[in-house]
Amino acid sequence: MDIKPLADRIRPMEIDQVVGQRHILGENKILNRIINSGKITNMIFYGPPGVGKTTVASIIAKKSNKTFYKLNATNASLSDIKGIISDLDGIMGINGVLLYLDEIQNFNKKQQQSLLEFMENGKITLIASTTENPYHYIYKAILSRSTIFEFKPLTKKDIIWGIKRAINILNTEFENKKIQFTKEAIEYIAEVSNGDLRKALNAVELSVYSTRINEEGIIYIDEETAKECTQTKILNYDKFGDSHYDILSAFQKSIRGSDVNASIHYLARLIEAGDLPSICRRLLVIASEDVGMAYPNAITIVKSCVDSAMQLGLPEGRIPLAQAVIVLATAPKSNSAIVAIDKALQDIKSKDVGEIPNNLKDSHYSGAEKLGRGIGYKYPHNYKNHFVKQQYLPNNIKDSVYYVPGENKIEEKILQYMKYIRDNR
């Protein structure tokens, strides 16, 4: 019997056998049209593991009449590329070369640049795959010469379809034996595979080969067996990759949008990944950026919760973190603080703001009066309501307005107070 892994043995040979990715492989979709036209261009496949990138590249290779090479950038070197380039002028390169470069993000700039000349003259057609955002990891000159296709995580329904197909194929490999998975076993494997068909097929294969044949000649796999042969669900989370920032982005946007359930969900993802520092930092930002003046005490509460979580560590730290998230998600929202400071910073960067008024400058030194420092300054506490009208901003921007109170109870009171002191000075 073939000793190759199940995922390789049953790899689809035609596009309509590929699981999922209907947004690019469905009928009349762009990648489907390109493959059927036979005019293969430089492409970059971007997506998580086990979603069909290598499979689609293999199908494209078989449909082209080019010499096919496959490299994995994890262990390939510049000499491997030079070896392929040396074949271009020989009989192997008559129709050009199709190079499938897996995990291209592991190639440095020089290694990627070595391909450019041959991509431009058409001698090499590159299909590269990556699990990382290509706009962050791939040399811009290669990006500009390639079409990027994003492969999505497979749905549970997609994984179940792939598992059933695998079971049917396995049944043809065994003589006088039958493989039977319960519905619960299939659904469990699909659930914990987290959109990765390769991981699901590995679990199927392990279940089959580790289960004894019963008296009826059946390899019977129930949910309990599937659990024994399946790893705990692993989240797609890389502390320095796209998923890290995607989850943090969804986390903040859910709190900003006052969806407490979504906020708790993304908190749970971050906790499961054990990323306590990122959670704490983001919560402190949200307290000022998104809640801010609508509930000024929020940052005090959040700081206490964050300190508690850092002192407790996980798993206990999840409790004060949840408290902080619920406080922020259910609090009134105002972005007036970030708008005010960003507007002021923009003025400083783009305008001649002028000098600080002399009456506001430091006058606590000998000779300050001779320089006109502090002269004419009015001490607000000596006036009614502890307020007196005088110019504080530099002349060049004296009429600038940075803080605009938001539409919430606290800032409405602030606005009322500001009007009151101006009208009753």
Side-chain angles (χ1 to χ4, degrees), residues 159-224:
I159 298 289
I160 289 174
W161 188 90
I163 291 172
K164 289 181 176 178
R165 176 176 176 269
I167 293 170
N168 289 336
I169 293 173
L170 277 173
N171 269 315
T172 65
E173 294 182 351
F174 287 90
E175 295 180 4
N176 303 319
K177 303 171 188 174
K178 184 178 180 182
I179 301 167
Q180 184 176 332
F181 278 71
T182 66
K183 178 183 177 183
E184 292 76 16
I186 292 173
E187 290 188 347
Y188 177 80
I189 293 173
E191 183 68 40
V192 300
S193 296
N194 200 35
D196 185 336
L197 182 58
R198 186 185 299 112
K199 182 180 177 183
L201 295 180
N202 288 341
V204 168
E205 188 171 29
L206 181 58
S207 299
V208 169
Y209 291 119
S210 64
T211 302
R212 291 184 178 181
I213 304 169
N214 64 21
E215 295 176 355
E216 298 173 354
I218 296 174
I219 300 174
Y220 181 80
I221 292 112
D222 57 14
E223 185 176 0
E224 192 61 36

Side-chain angles (χ1 to χ4, degrees), residues 38-82:
K39 297 178 180 178
I40 310 303
T41 58
N42 299 309
M43 293 181 272
I44 295 171
F45 294 167
Y46 159 51
V51 295
K53 301 187 297 295
T54 302
T55 295
V56 173
S58 299
I59 293 171
I60 293 173
K62 288 182 175 67
K63 287 184 175 292
S64 75
N65 61 351
K66 300 176 184 293
T67 303
F68 181 57
Y69 291 90
K70 180 179 177 181
L71 293 177
N72 189 305
T74 305
N75 49 36
S77 64
L78 195 57
S79 61
D80 294 308
I81 298 175
K82 289 179 178 178

Side-chain angles (χ1 to χ4, degrees), residues 280-320:
C280 294
R281 180 180 179 278
R282 190 58 63 110
L283 287 173
L284 289 169
V285 170
I286 294 168
S288 291
E289 180 181 347
D290 296 306
V291 174
M293 294 302 297
Y295 184 24
N297 284 340
I299 194 166
T300 305
I301 297 170
V302 169
K303 180 62 166 63
S304 296
C305 290
V306 162
D307 288 347
S308 296
M310 292 298 287
Q311 188 171 356
L312 289 168
L314 295 174
E316 289 85 355
R318 75 190 188 283
I319 305 169

Side-chain angles (χ1 to χ4, degrees), residues 28-264:
N28 293 324
K29 296 298 182 180
I30 182 168
L31 187 52
N32 190 316
R33 298 200 307 270
I34 290 173
I35 294 170
N36 288 328
S37 73
K39 297 178 180 178
I40 310 303
T41 58
N42 299 309
M43 293 181 272
I44 295 171
F45 294 167
Y46 159 51
V51 295
K53 301 187 297 295
T54 302
T55 295
V56 173
S58 299
I59 293 171
I60 293 173
K62 288 182 175 67
K63 287 184 175 292
S64 75
N65 61 351
K66 300 176 184 293
T67 303
F68 181 57
Y69 291 90
K70 180 179 177 181
L71 293 177
N72 189 305
T74 305
N75 49 36
S77 64
L78 195 57
S79 61
D80 294 308
I81 298 175
K82 289 179 178 178
I84 293 171
I85 291 171
S86 67
D87 289 340
L88 292 177
D89 295 325
I91 191 170
M92 298 289 286
I94 291 176
N95 295 317
V97 163
L98 178 63
L99 171 62
Y100 177 57
L101 183 57
D102 197 11
E103 304 293 346
I104 188 175
Q105 75 273 7
N106 291 309
F107 260 13
N108 59 36
K109 185 176 180 179
K110 184 178 181 181
Q111 289 171 311
Q112 293 185 36
Q113 284 179 317
S114 66
L115 298 168
L116 282 175
E117 176 188 346
F118 303 97
M119 290 172 65
E120 287 182 339
N121 63 27
K123 289 187 176 181
I124 287 181
T125 301
L126 177 69
I127 300 180
S129 69
T130 176
T131 56
E132 305 294 344
N133 192 323
Y135 294 100
H136 297 165
Y137 291 90
I138 297 178
Y139 184 46
K140 287 188 172 74
I142 288 182
L143 286 179
S144 68
R145 293 163 175 79
S146 307
T147 304
I148 298 174
F149 294 98
E150 183 174 4
F151 282 59
K152 305 287 187 180
L154 300 177
T155 65
K156 182 179 177 180
K157 183 178 179 181
D158 290 333
I159 298 289
I160 289 174
W161 188 90
I163 291 172
K164 289 181 176 178
R165 176 176 176 269
I167 293 170
N168 289 336
I169 293 173
L170 277 173
N171 269 315
T172 65
E173 294 182 351
F174 287 90
E175 295 180 4
N176 303 319
K177 303 171 188 174
K178 184 178 180 182
I179 301 167
Q180 184 176 332
F181 278 71
T182 66
K183 178 183 177 183
E184 292 76 16
I186 292 173
E187 290 188 347
Y188 177 80
I189 293 173
E191 183 68 40
V192 300
S193 296
N194 200 35
D196 185 336
L197 182 58
R198 186 185 299 112
K199 182 180 177 183
L201 295 180
N202 288 341
V204 168
E205 188 171 29
L206 181 58
S207 299
V208 169
Y209 291 119
S210 64
T211 302
R212 291 184 178 181
I213 304 169
N214 64 21
E215 295 176 355
E216 298 173 354
I218 296 174
I219 300 174
Y220 181 80
I221 292 112
D222 57 14
E223 185 176 0
E224 192 61 36
T225 304
K227 286 181 178 179
E228 291 176 354
C229 298
T230 308
Q231 294 179 351
T232 302
K233 184 175 180 179
I234 299 175
L235 288 173
N236 180 25
Y237 189 88
D238 175 359
K239 197 171 182 179
F240 302 101
D242 265 5
S243 56
H244 168 76
Y245 296 105
D246 287 345
I247 297 174
L248 285 173
S249 176
F251 180 52
Q252 181 164 2
K253 288 171 181 173
S254 297
I255 293 176
R256 180 184 297 152
S258 300
D259 189 326
V260 67
N261 295 312
S263 303
I264 288 291

